[in-house]
Amino acid sequence: MSYYIDVVLPIPLERLFTYTVTQAQAHRLRKGMRVAVSFGKTRIYTALVMDIHSNPPQAYEAKPIHQLLDEVPSVNEIQLRHWEWIASYYMCTLGEVFRTAVPGALLLESETIVLLHADFQKESIQLEEEEEMVLLALKNRGPLSVNDISHLLEKKTVLPILNKLVRLKAIMLKETLVDQYKPKMLRYVRMAKSYNDEVALEQLLDSMKRAPKQIQAILALFQLQSSEKKPVLIKSLQKESRVSPGVIRALLDKGILEEFSLRTDRVSYSGGDDVKDSVGLNQGQNAALQTMKEGHNDGKVVLLHGVTSSGKTELYVKLIEECLKNGQQVLYLLPEIALTAQLIQRLEAYFGSRISVYHSRYNQQERVEVWYNVMGEKSKAQLIIGARSSLFLPYSRLGLIIVDEEHETSFKQYDPAPRYHARDAAIVLAHMHDARVVLGSATPSIESYYNVQAGKYAYAGLIRRYGNVLMPEIELVDLKLLRRKKRLKGHFSDRLIELIHETLEVKEQVILFQNRRGFAPIVECTSCGHSPGCPNCDVSLTYHRHRNQLRCHYCGHHAELQPACLACGNPSLDTKGFGTQQVEEEALTLFPEAQIARMDYDTTRGKHSHARIIQDFENQEIDILIGTQMLTKGLDFRHVNLVGIMNADTLLNFPDFRAHEKSFQMMTQVAGRAGRTEKRGMVIIQTYNPYHRILQQVSNNDYDTMYSEQLYEREQYHYPPHNRIIRLTFKHKEYNRLNEAAEWFTKALRLKYRSWILGPEYPPVPRIRNQYLKHVLVKIPKNVSPSKMKNSIKRTEQSFHAISQYKGVRVIYDVDHL
């Protein structure tokens, strides 16, 4: 009897693939285990077992698998069901979900190894210099990877050289699996067993009187063993005994000491064992907690709508405590990595070593360790704090999911597929685990609040700040009027400058918000109007003054700023608009005595850079913090008395049906960083249109009016939450072919759905990385089944790709586009 397995590969292909296995392998294999399989001519991939059966494939002959990689499943049944839902709902392949969900270090792929051919006779063939270098390196160093040869020759592309040597039968190419995960091993030391009894030890010390440093090391070892009651690290012994590494090496060589290694996690809790009890709740918090529990008992998702600094985190702590007491796991989702540093400090005080963190700034090795800790239900992984990727961990006893700042667009993944929304995917995951869900925000998304109004979600509100602290006073400053009266210094109004001086005098802190990084978005020649653009994208280059560079924020292209215009040669270059770098430069001039720092993508690329800036600001080592939307997301600073929004109009005037909702949320959130203790905070919003409805609603903290107006407008124009939307993006390097393809696809959809199809239209940036883009928006009314419409669109895509000239045009789906 033959045995077969169906596997999913981490590549964007719609179907599963069948491989043959032996009887012994079939009995060992289970669903969710990893196997290495060859795919194509030579490539080896990590695949995931989906089914074990005895039915051979009809269309092709099944290959045998390369090897088994797991003893137990790395992915559990609930995970696989969740992945299948994501693939179906967000119109992507299961392989794309697999690649996104699993840490890269668990996705072993083959690497091409170059070996010297044993029968090659070099004398009969004339070789180039680079080919000679390759053969010499292989002779001296043995087999090398393609990357090794690339570094050796200092060339990115070495395949033509290798292919020629293969044809000459000088070398052979071989595919081999590379395991990227290496456990961290720490080196420990102990006394050899022969010196465990007192007599032998005394004789040893007597014989070592001429080696005082060695005796010093041995005595230090006994002292550490008695005080720490755990294995002694070689580093600790060296530090405690104050001897050189050579002394310890001599003791090891003599057999007096023994070295051994133990595996350890790369990320571990460094605090003490003492944890404090959660704080008592005030009357409003107790009422909200009771409402949340009632909602959970009814099996509903709970929306916690609490104004900024109302004490939502304390409610989360109470729910987490209850869940951990029942032996369940908790997932705490955050929209931004910047938030994790501050939140971890607060939660470690309550939960100590039971916390694990998971996000993209952790390296692959650290992420694998968290994955295995969650899979093994370890005590150190009972509470997971992370960004959207932590949704994919192998939970088995998930009892609670908290989605903090649920309105944030950072929960949506845009590229690559799957383009999922972590909030919505978390609700589905919780349903599969029969777990509870809390969505928390001071400015809930219109969709979530609509679900409350429709009775689908339960609602709990906190209308007062913790300790009855007053909401900040919000003042709108008319830039148009001030510019006319010449009362602006750079981009600072006289009112903002005055308040910053007052705040600094009383040793309080200031946050300045500008939602654009760099120095200026446009450099323009005042003589001819030429503005340098990106050669790969249809967008102007942003000026970064600290490097004197023009950079593209879409593809990363950069070039040095030339002293004269490249079009006309005149040295009359000027900048238009402003970013965080320009605000920082102006602030340094206006407030030379203040300590000023900037927090944006450029200053937070390092692993711990977020945490360092936040720590310095909390410790009042920074007086003025300038930043982008990273500053708006739930950070808690106790000494911020003033928040300045440098230009509100850049948020409002954006071509997006959600622009006003996002503007309200962002400005309200950044305003909420001010006055979080006894003293009432102040917020200055600089704008050229102070009478705009959204700005008036922000200044009055009037969420309900904003919600009602936006909901009415969306109902009129058939946008969410009344309709669902799918955005189709067509991508190709040829302008004309893209236009033809997009028109063909849109006409095919209009035959079925007529007025529900908008487009095709070019986006604001119509070319990125030398690929032209066109968008089509599909609106799904409530009386139409979304799954039926998705299937219809997929069938249209099959017909579309059957046309030879459209095969190279990519179709990208973004379901519930934000």
Side-chain angles (χ1 to χ4, degrees), residues 36-73:
V37 298
S38 62
F39 188 75
K41 289 184 179 178
T42 56
R43 206 86 176 119
I44 299 171
Y45 287 98
T46 297
L48 203 65
V49 177
M50 298 296 287
D51 193 19
I52 304 155
H53 56 85
S54 302
N55 306 316
Q58 300 299 314
Y60 57 91
E61 186 178 345
K63 296 180 186 176
I65 63 170
H66 187 269
Q67 69 181 85
L68 275 66
L69 299 176
D70 286 330
E71 293 296 324
V72 294

Side-chain angles (χ1 to χ4, degrees), residues 415-457:
D415 271 313
R419 294 169 181 82
Y420 66 99
H421 197 300
R423 177 196 63 209
D424 301 339
I427 292 169
V428 174
L429 179 65
H431 178 72
M432 290 177 176
H433 280 274
D434 196 23
R436 296 172 289 170
V437 182
V438 177
L439 310 179
S441 177
T443 52
S445 64
I446 285 176
E447 285 84 351
S448 294
Y449 203 67
Y450 179 80
N451 283 333
V452 169
Q453 304 294 326
K456 190 176 177 182
Y457 292 176

